[in-house]
Amino acid sequence: MNPATPGPDPAASQSWPRRLSWIAVLVAGVIAYLLVLRTMVRTENPNFVPSLILLGSIVVPATVLVFAASGGRRVLVSPGLLTLVAVVGGVIGTVAAGSLEYDTLVRLRTVPMIFVGLIEESVKLILPVLVLIWVRIRRSSRVGAEAGVIIGVASGMGFATLETMGYGFTALLRSGNVGAVEATLLLRAILAPAGHVAWTGLASAAIWAIPDAPHRGRAVLRAVGVFFAVVLLHAAWDGFNNNWVRLVVGVGGFVALLIVIHRAHVGRRRRTPPAPSLPPGGWAPGQPYPPQAYPQQQHPQQLPPPAYPQQQYPQQQYPQQPYPQPYLQQPHPPAGQGWGDPGAGQAGEHRPG
């Protein structure tokens, strides 16, 4: 492979298994439900009833949650936070809704369907709003506004699961027949994605979009409008005993949820910068890059200084300094005189004969 060629993108190679994980959740949940049902019918052991109700209530909402969370290449919300929102949000929502509806029944002698929708849609948004406040206080960049729809789906999933478990247990107490429990679980499992899950996801997405909106006033008005729209859908679902009305409400809510989920993942993908290309040889997340990934930088050779023409810049001639001598040499004597004293040379010099 050419070193200049970018390596494979691990997010792209692993995106398809993660995107199809919701199918694995659905298939595994249905198989587990059928195994528990077969064992309970064969052994006639009532101890399997809680397991049957739990699996029949949680499989479809959990599938929708996994689909919403794994619909793109980037993870918008961590699995731990989704689990926390689903469990705590479901408990807070069912307890608060049950208490408020009971107080309304005591005071008004009846509970109008519009009040039921207003109460339940309000309490399901308690935990998504608290998570939004916590994220804004910590100024966390890992959870953006696009995560609002998934947080809402998690809260609606917890509420729908616990509510369906209650309806299944009530059907068992009234009829004493497992068939009635199966029919209740099947009906509510089919309607769960178009009911609580979709409504809470839409309302939560509109609320989470307020802080980062360029025009917050419009965003607030949009969130209020979406909230009252889902309240009306909830009231129409409970108030009209007509299958066509429920079909229109359910299909419209679920299609709207799919559109919002798709926009959330696409918006996150546009905001996220592309990952740097990996060097040849591969790299796994959490491990240091191999040494060969970054070759040593080739420094340019040191060139010799340019040779200037000698005639243009002549070399400076310095005067030659005489070497210091300790003894001065006497001048050479003229002809006829020796090196000694001049007078001695005339009187005592040796002359050849």
Side-chain angles (χ1 to χ4, degrees):
M1 180 182 296
N2 189 0
T5 304
D9 187 3
S13 61
Q14 297 178 4
S15 61
W16 283 111
R18 188 175 66 249
R19 290 183 181 184
L20 299 179
S21 58
W22 64 274
I23 299 179
V25 173
L26 179 61
V27 173
V30 171
I31 292 176
Y33 176 83
L34 294 177
L35 289 176
V36 171
L37 178 62
R38 178 179 179 276
T39 304
M40 185 184 64
V41 172
R42 182 179 179 182
T43 60
E44 298 181 357
N45 188 351
N47 293 334
F48 289 98
V49 173
S51 301
L52 184 70
I53 295 177
L54 175 62
L55 291 173
S57 304
I58 199 174
V59 170
V60 176
T63 302
V64 178
L65 177 60
V66 174
F67 172 79
S70 61
R73 295 184 179 182
R74 306 293 178 184
V75 178
L76 301 182
V77 189
S78 63
L81 180 58
L82 289 180
T83 304
L84 177 66
V85 172
V87 175
V88 179
V91 172
I92 293 177
T94 51
V95 172
S99 301
L100 293 176
E101 289 175 0
Y102 176 77
D103 294 340
T104 304
L105 178 63
V106 170
R107 294 179 181 180
L108 302 180
R109 303 297 181 181
T110 184
V111 182
M113 292 303 170
I114 190 66
F115 281 21
V116 173
L118 181 62
I119 291 173
E120 293 188 359
E121 295 305 323
S122 299
V123 297
K124 287 186 296 181
L125 292 174
I126 293 177
L127 199 60
V129 172
L130 293 178
V131 174
L132 175 61
I133 296 174
W134 175 71
V135 170
R136 301 300 297 184
I137 291 176
R138 294 193 58 184
R139 297 180 180 179
S140 176
S141 60
R142 294 180 297 178
V143 183
E146 299 85 359
V149 60
I150 305 177
I151 297 293
V153 168
S155 181
M157 172 251 177
F159 187 93
T161 299
L162 295 179
E163 189 182 51
T164 302
M165 291 178 64
Y167 277 101
F169 184 70
T170 302
L172 179 64
L173 294 180
R174 289 179 178 178
S175 63
N177 187 6
V178 180
V181 178
E182 291 182 47
T184 302
L185 295 178
L186 179 61
L187 178 61
R188 295 192 63 84
I190 296 176
L191 301 179
H196 291 295
V197 176
W199 299 331
T200 312
L202 294 175
S204 178
I207 294 175
W208 275 60
I210 294 176
D212 296 336
H215 304 283
R216 293 191 177 181
R218 298 179 183 177
V220 171
L221 293 177
R222 187 185 306 112
V224 173
V226 172
F227 174 74
F228 280 106
V230 297
V231 169
L232 293 177
L233 290 176
H234 194 156
W237 182 280
D238 294 337
F240 292 95
N241 192 13
N242 191 328
N243 293 331
W244 289 104
V245 174
R246 293 184 176 180
L247 179 63
V248 172
V249 171
V251 172
F254 187 66
V255 171
L257 177 65
L258 293 179
I259 294 174
V260 174
I261 292 174
H262 175 71
R263 288 183 177 180
H265 287 287
V266 171
R268 181 67 174 182
R269 192 182 309 169
R270 290 176 180 175
R271 291 199 326 162
T272 305
S277 59
L278 297 179
W283 170 76
Q287 297 182 1
Y289 283 98
Q292 65 272 17
Y294 296 96
Q296 294 182 354
Q297 184 178 3
Q298 300 294 334
H299 297 280
Q301 292 182 346
Q302 298 294 336
L303 299 177
Y308 297 99
Q310 188 174 2
Q311 61 274 14
Q312 184 177 358
Y313 297 94
Q315 186 176 3
Q316 185 177 2
Q317 301 293 335
Y318 296 96
Q320 185 175 3
Q321 299 293 336
Y323 185 80
Q325 299 180 1
Y327 302 100
L328 296 177
Q329 187 178 1
Q330 296 181 0
H332 193 275
Q337 296 183 2
W339 288 95
D341 190 9
Q346 296 179 357
E349 67 176 350
H350 176 72
R351 297 178 182 274

